[in-house]
């Protein structure tokens, strides 16, 4: 058999062909190799198992069916939770004194009469009788706290939101003061009426 | 709907593959590893890998060659891992492939002799010769394709094939002659 690769390849292809070949097409050497090849094939076929092994395809798991409404509901739930947490955090935020003391500077000055009357009555009267005064006192306390808060060197908030919050706080305080004044007046009138009533009962008038 | 049709078509193709090439793949593996249980496992693995890669596999080309390339790679991986590769002797072949009870005793004896002869022949071949000859026999692959599969030059592949055939001729034809 020659060593020319192309001829060798052709010879081996003939010798190991699966198709039957006429012996006249091959030289003696190739025919001998083909004979060996056929004998080898017979042995392989004879020794091969009579039945092919059982082969089972491994099924790849199908992707779970997507449910868009579940995703939407989960997203909505997550968003609402976030909003709730954020609102709770915002409401629990401590009130910071505004630099420059907006409340202190612009706090409305209650009329001396009203204030004196209220404080005088509150001091003179027991608590149950002057329920309105107690309310006034309770409501006035935060404003007082804001006023009396120490002016620390904390950095001030100077963004727009803080300015708006400061303005809103100022308006609230002024409204509160007006209401305090009015309610103080009503309280005074009520007290006077009660006094007159008691005087009438006692016939002291 | 279309997905299930595609799945059905894939399953049909898989069944066709097993029917057409299962025996060849298993025969190749059995001749290479010479252990029935290992050959069974590897056969399963070959078809599973082919099944998983079915989307990438294009129908162009020889399906059997494609499956045998996977089988050949698995055998190489097995040898590289150094797992026990006990070659079966004639008794082992008989034990794993018992002769049917229905077979006549003379046929059973002939089969046992053939199996012993095959075992001897396979042992006489070098691993490279065995691999090339079995790929050629079971896959009917061209020599260039075999060279690509085993990763050696074409000339080397041809030399291995010729030497292997000469060994087989000596063993199966010359020595057999009285």
């Amino acid at each position: 058999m020659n060593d020319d690769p192309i001829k060798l390849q052709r010879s081996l292809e003939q010798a190991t062909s699966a198709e039957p070949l006429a012996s006249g097409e091959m030289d003696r050497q190739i025919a001998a190799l083909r004979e060996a090849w056929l004998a080898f094939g017979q042995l392989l076929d004879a020794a091969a198992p009579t039945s092919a092994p059982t082969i089972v395809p491994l099924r790849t798991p199908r992707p779970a069916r997507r449910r868009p409404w579940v995703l939407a509901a989960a997203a909505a739930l997550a968003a609402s939770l976030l909003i709730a947490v954020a609102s709770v955090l915002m409401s629990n935020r401590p009130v910071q004194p505004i630099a420059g003391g907006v409340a202190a500077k612009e706090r409305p000055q209650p009329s001396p009469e009203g204030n004196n009357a209220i404080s005088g009555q509150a001091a003179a009267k027991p608590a149950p009788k002057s329920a309105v005064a107690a309310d006034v006192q309770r409501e006035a306390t935060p404003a007082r706290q804001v006023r009396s808060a120490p002016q620390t060197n904390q950095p001030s908030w100077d963004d727009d939101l803080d300015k708006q919050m400061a303005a809103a706080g100022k308006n609230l305080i002024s409204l509160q003061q007006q209401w305090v004044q009015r309610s103080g007046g009503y309280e005074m009138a009520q007290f006077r009426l009660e006094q007159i009533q008691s005087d009438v009962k006692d016939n002291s008038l | 709907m279309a997905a299930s049709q595609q799945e059905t078509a894939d399953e049909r193709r898989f069944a066709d593959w097993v029917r057409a090439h299962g025996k060849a793949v298993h025969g190749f593996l059995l001749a290479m590893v010479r252990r029935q249980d290992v050959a069974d496992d590897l056969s399963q693995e070959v078809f599973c890998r082919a099944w998983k890669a079915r989307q990438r596999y294009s129908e162009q080309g020889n399906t059997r060659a494609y499956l045998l390339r996977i089988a050949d790679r698995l055998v190489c991986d097995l040898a590289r891992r150094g797992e026990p590769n006990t070659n079966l002797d004639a008794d082992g072949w008989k034990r794993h492939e018992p002769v049917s009870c229905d077979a006549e005793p003379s046929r059973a004896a002939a089969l046992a002799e053939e199996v012993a002869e095959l075992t001897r022949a396979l042992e006489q071949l070098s691993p490279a010769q065995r691999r090339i000859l079995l790929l050629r026999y079971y896959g009917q692959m061209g020599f260039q394709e075999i060279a690509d599969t085993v990763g050696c030059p074409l000339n080397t592949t041809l030399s291995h094939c010729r030497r292997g055939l000469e060994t087989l001729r000596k063993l199966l034809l010359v020595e057999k002659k009285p």
Side-chain angles (χ1 to χ4, degrees), chain A residues 53-59, chain B residues 6-22 43-54 57 59 63 66-67 70:
Chain A
T54 309
I55 291 162
V56 184
L58 286 183
R59 281 182 172 278
Chain B
Q6 175 66 32
E7 211 165 87
T8 312
D10 283 342
E11 282 177 12
R12 204 177 300 130
R13 188 169 69 171
F14 183 83
D16 288 345
W17 278 3
V18 173
R19 216 173 295 125
H21 312 296
S43 295
Q44 174 77 34
E45 183 66 21
V46 166
F47 282 97
C48 285
R49 286 197 183 189
W51 175 249
K52 281 178 192 163
R54 67 191 182 278
Y57 174 71
E59 286 291 354
T63 306
Y66 167 69
L67 293 169
I70 298 174

Side-chain angles (χ1 to χ4, degrees), chain A residues 1 3 5 9 12-13 16 32 36-37 40-41 43-47 49-50 53 55-59 62, chain B residues 7 11 14 23 26 44 47-48 51 97 111 114 118 133 136-137 143 154-155 158 162 165 168-169 172-173:
Chain A
M1 192 179 283
D3 285 337
Q9 185 176 352
L12 289 173
E13 277 171 357
T16 59
W37 175 253
F40 181 58
L43 285 178
L44 285 171
D45 286 345
T50 47
I55 291 162
V56 184
L58 286 183
R59 281 182 172 278
R62 283 186 191 178
Chain B
E7 211 165 87
E11 282 177 12
F14 183 83
K23 247 182 131 174
H26 188 260
Q44 174 77 34
F47 282 97
C48 285
W51 175 249
E97 185 56 33
L111 183 62
E114 282 167 342
L118 176 66
L133 288 174
R136 176 73 179 161
Y137 182 77
F143 283 105
L154 177 62
N155 284 346
L158 293 171
R162 190 183 65 181
L165 284 174
L168 288 175
R169 187 176 67 90
L172 301 175
L173 302 174

Side-chain angles (χ1 to χ4, degrees), chain A residues 122 125-134:
Chain A
K125 282 187 64 172
K129 269 202 168 181
S130 59
V132 177

